[in-house]
Amino acid sequence: MPAPRGVGLILLVVVSGLVVGSLLGELLGALLREGWVQDVLTRGPTIGLTTPATLDLRFVSLTLGFSLKVNLVGLIGVVIAALALRRL
């Protein structure tokens, strides 16, 4: 019987797969010549706050920002990480 997986573990595996895959996509994009293959590997939407949000309470100022760039290789990394989690 497989061990139960928590939401935290699943989220960690998905995010780590996305990060590693996106880094590999950027690396492959840097190694390839300019063209449509490089565009497919490196282009993708940026999700999150593109400009940081600032909360100023006069005695403390808090700046929040978060963005996530997703590309094709990043999505492949998520799929590979999900398959690896399924095998564990």
Side-chain angles (χ1 to χ4, degrees), residues 35-58:
W36 68 271
V37 175
Q38 183 188 27
D39 289 342
V40 167
L41 291 178
T42 59
R43 283 195 181 171
T46 301
I47 302 166
L49 298 171
T50 55
T51 57
T54 303
L55 175 64
D56 188 4
L57 299 175
R58 296 293 176 210

Side-chain angles (χ1 to χ4, degrees), residues 41 48 53 59 70 74 76:
L41 291 178
F59 65 92
V70 181
I76 293 170

